[in-house]
Structure formats: C-alpha cells, structure tokens
Amino acid sequence: MVSVSCIAAIVDFLDKKLSSRTKINKKMKFIDETKSVQNPINHGPTLVIHGGAGVMIRKNYPLKEKREYLKALEESLIAGYKILLDGGSSIDAVEAAVRIMEDCPLFNAGKGSVFSISGKNELEASIMIGTPLHPAGANTLLRTVKNPITLAKTILLDPECRHVFLGGSEAEKYAKDKGLEIVDPGYFWTEKRWRQHMEGLERQKLTSDSPNSLLLKDEFDASPKGTVGAVAVDKYGIIASATSTGTEGPLYRFSLCSSAHYGGLNNKKDGRIGDTPLIGCGTWADNETCGVSGTGDGEFFIRFGIVQDVAARVKYLGENVADAAINAVEEMRKVGGEGGVIAVDKYGNVAMPYNSLGMYRGYIRVSDGIPHTFIFNDE
Ligand code: ASP
C-alpha cells in the first residue's frame, strides 16, 4: 500500500515519468471549467463498486445468494473506505476494493473466474489515475497471478516500465520478478464455475444442433458472470478506476420474452481479450470529468469505447456524471449492447446505471461511512 505521505510524491513522479515521454502542447485546453458541473456539492472522498451486470431474475433469486453477494459487496466497500477514511489515495482504495472481490469466489475475477472454452482461466485487469497524464497499467491472459489488479497497479507505478499493457507469460514473469503472489492455475477453479462451464458447452452444442432451442430454455443460471470494478475519488480530488475479470465472451445470445439478453458468458474463445483491460473501453479516469468502470458485453464496450464515452459526454456536452453515464449506457442498449457502468466525479457524485436485468453495485462515502449495496433496480 502507498502511504499517504507518498501520494504527492507519486503523483509528481508519475507526471515526470510520463511527461519525459510526452510532448505537451501547453496551449491545449479542452475543458471549459465554467461548463463543468454547475454549483457542485462536494461529497468528499467516495468509492463506488460493481460486481458485474447480467442476467439476474429477481423472482428466481435465492435470498441466501442475495445476502452473500450484498455482504461481499459491503466488505469490498469497507476495505476501500478505510483507506479513504485514513486520507489514503484513490488508487489504493480501488485496488483494495477490487482485491476483496478477486479473492471472493462469488465474482468472476481472481478466484471463481469463469472458464474459457478449453477449460482454462484467463484473467485480465486494468487501473488508471485521473491526473493530467493519465497513468495506467493493464494486463491480460494471466493464468497464475493471484491478484491481476495488483499487477496492473504495479505496472502503473513502475518507474522502469514504460509500457501500459503486458500480457501472457511475459506479464506473469514480470509479476513474479516484482514479488507478486503467484498461484497454481488450479487456485482459480471453483465447482460452481466448472458446472457453468460444462452447462455452457452443452448449451453451445444445443445451439449449433438446433438454433432455436435456447429460446425455450429459461432455467439458465441466474448467477452473473460479471467482471468487478471500483472507482474512487480521494481527499485530493484524484480519481482512480480499476476493473478486473476472469474474461469471457458472448458465445451466443438468446431471446427471452421480447428483449434480447446477454447470456451464456462462459466458454469464451481461448485468447479472447475483452474490454476490461482496455483503457477507454473498460476503465477510464480523468479528474476533470469522471472515473468509470464497465461491465457487460465486452465487445460492445470495445467497439463503442463506452467508458471513455461517459467522460467525453461530461467534457464536450457538459452533461453531469449521472446523465452522461445513463446516456452512454442507453446508447449502447440501442445498438444491442448490454451491461452497465459505475462512475464518480471529483465532487463524489456517483452514477451506477445499467441496461441489463441487474448489476451488483454499491457506494460509500467517507462523510457518513454507510455502505449502500444493490442488485436490482428498485431497492
Ligand atoms: N466485460 C466483460 C468482458 O466482456 C464481461 C463482464 O463484464 O461481464 O470480458
């Protein structure tokens, strides 16, 4: 963890690290401060998290499972909150919040990740700070790094690493050299995810044998297969965003009633890389607009640059963070993309919109320390 006294030094260091390689035109100024959020109330340090958006049906949803997820979300919020409460940095807060979810087998990140089509876990994550030069770290196709979010943060903070994005065995070697925790690939295995993997293969076979069979099949697993993410603003007004996933790809979709739902997310093609580790697609942070983390149909997040679109709406259209997030998610729905985003601006305004049936999500503010957690939309 980065100590509080080091924060200013880190920000200064990162600015130097990046500016030595970046030719900045000092005359460029994209933000008209007067068009930013009008008369903002400053809520102070705030953390918002998600544990995945997807197919969840309230009426079928077991109470026990609901309690387990809400408790896990609360633990994640409290971990990040403690850091913000102590005056810590947003990057430490989002890392702590995401690590809790990576270590919790309920979520599709770290332990409990879904399987690729050949039965492998391939993990990926990214992290970003919203200071002017946008420091970022990302990784993909990991099989042995226990906490991909910590690897992403290590890349971001590494003065010797000029790269943003490392993948595969070289990323794992780098993690090992940096002393990060390395595990056997079997560590990520859980029985529940394996069962989903096998069911996914079966469904896939059914789909290819008889493309309409899924339309009749409504007993799909209501567990989300979602990514986890966190966005925070600290007492310095610095925003950080983090996203981590077991990666997955929509092998097939099916219709339920009148709307299309994103389903059958297990069994991605081996080597598929999603939006989660892609800066601007799954993770974005910019102090002057907002920080955003996404979850849902990754191919749409990639093709439409959804999380950066939220910040662009704030920046160029002058929308507030809530409207920007809602509008970006709605635009994605119109083109067929399903999922949601979480976002925070520098005043601690929070947005958590989604267009799927549910999204595990929550927020907490240092001002009152009360964790707010949600799954469906009328809680
Ligand atoms: N966006 C993730 C991916 O496509 C999945 C998710 O968020 O559920 O890899």
Side-chain angles (χ1 to χ4, degrees):
M1 184 185 300
V2 181
S3 78
V4 182
S5 59
C6 288
I7 291 166
I10 288 174
V11 171
D12 186 53
F13 154 75
L14 288 169
D15 277 356
K16 287 200 181 106
K17 167 180 161 172
L18 297 174
S19 57
S20 62
R21 290 190 290 271
T22 314
K23 228 177 159 24
I24 299 173
N25 178 353
K26 298 271 183 208
K27 287 193 187 129
M28 280 180 174
K29 185 162 166 58
F30 298 106
I31 304 258
D32 176 355
E33 310 287 345
T34 59
K35 283 198 193 138
S36 304
V37 187
Q38 303 286 321
N39 302 320
I41 297 171
N42 195 339
H43 298 284
T46 301
L47 168 69
V48 56
I49 60 169
H50 70 75
V55 179
M56 309 165 201
I57 297 187
R58 179 195 282 279
K59 76 175 165 59
N60 298 346
Y61 202 92
L63 190 61
K64 182 172 166 287
E65 196 166 314
K66 181 175 176 179
R67 287 201 184 116
E68 282 171 1
Y69 274 98
L70 292 178
K71 186 165 169 283
L73 289 172
E74 206 168 300
E75 278 171 24
S76 163
L77 285 171
I78 297 292
Y81 162 78
K82 282 185 182 159
I83 289 170
L84 295 175
L85 181 68
D86 285 349
S89 66
S90 51
I91 189 171
D92 282 346
V94 293
E95 182 206 13
V98 165
R99 275 182 74 111
I100 295 282
M101 292 188 279
E102 284 181 340
D103 292 346
C104 172
L106 292 173
F107 301 103
N108 172 27
K111 184 163 181 70
S113 288
V114 301
F115 292 92
S116 70
I117 193 153
S118 73
K120 285 192 233 159
N121 294 119
E122 292 180 332
L123 284 61
E124 56 191 15
S126 65
I127 199 162
M128 187 172 194
I129 304 179
T131 47
L133 293 177
H134 290 176
N139 53 65
T140 187
L141 302 176
L142 305 177
R143 305 214 50 225
T144 60
V145 178
K146 179 166 177 270
N147 291 106
I149 203 63
T150 299
L151 174 57
K153 181 181 157 191
T154 305
I155 294 169
L156 184 155
L157 292 174
D158 184 352
E160 270 139 40
C161 183
R162 62 178 294 272
H163 305 300
V164 167
F165 195 1
L166 301 179
S169 56
E170 286 302 320
E172 294 184 321
K173 189 168 166 299
Y174 171 90
K176 199 171 172 195
D177 290 348
K178 292 290 170 189
L180 303 193
E181 196 167 351
I182 302 297
V183 291
D184 183 87
Y187 162 80
F188 300 107
W189 189 96
T190 61
E191 195 187 329
K192 179 175 142 189
R193 292 300 188 199
W194 188 254
R195 205 178 54 240
Q196 289 173 345
H197 167 61
M198 299 310 280
E199 283 170 5
L201 291 179
E202 182 57 29
R203 278 201 205 151
Q204 200 188 347
K205 188 169 171 301
L206 276 175
T207 323
S208 47
D209 290 354
S210 158
N212 288 330
S213 58
L214 286 172
L215 300 178
L216 305 172
K217 196 172 168 60
D218 63 357
E219 76 275 19
F220 53 81
D221 191 318
S223 302
K225 284 95 182 168
T227 298
V228 306
V231 186
V233 59
D234 60 28
K235 71 175 189 178
Y236 306 98
I238 296 174
I239 296 174
S241 304
T243 317
S244 178
T245 190
T247 93
E248 52 201 3
L251 271 187
Y252 49 81
R253 295 167 161 277
F254 57 93
S255 295
L256 185 74
C257 308
S258 57
S259 53
H261 291 289
Y262 180 54
L265 304 179
N266 279 288
N267 305 334
K268 71 156 187 130
K269 189 169 166 49
D270 289 59
R272 177 261 185 183
I273 296 169
D275 57 314
T276 300
L278 300 183
I279 297 300
C281 303
T283 300
W284 185 251
D286 172 52
N287 291 348
E288 295 310 319
T289 52
C290 55
V292 192
S293 168
T295 172
D297 193 336
E299 273 62 17
F300 281 84
F301 279 77
I302 294 172
R303 287 191 280 116
F304 291 87
I306 294 297
V307 298
Q308 197 169 358
D309 194 40
V310 176
R313 286 179 162 276
V314 176
K315 189 168 179 171
Y316 301 118
L317 298 181
E319 293 181 351
N320 64 44
V321 68
D323 289 345
I326 289 169
N327 291 336
V329 166
E330 173 58 9
E331 289 302 315
M332 181 172 73
R333 186 194 63 77
K334 285 186 195 159
V335 290
E338 190 153 344
V341 300
I342 53 167
V344 171
D345 69 11
K346 66 180 169 191
Y347 305 108
N349 292 306
V350 165
M352 307 185 287
Y354 57 93
N355 63 30
S356 46
L357 293 181
M359 180 166 87
Y360 293 105
R361 63 200 190 279
Y363 72 93
I364 192 164
R365 291 201 166 99
V366 162
S367 57
D368 61 12
I370 300 171
H372 302 269
T373 53
F374 314 87
I375 301 178
F376 300 103
N377 61 7
D378 55 352
E379 293 149 314

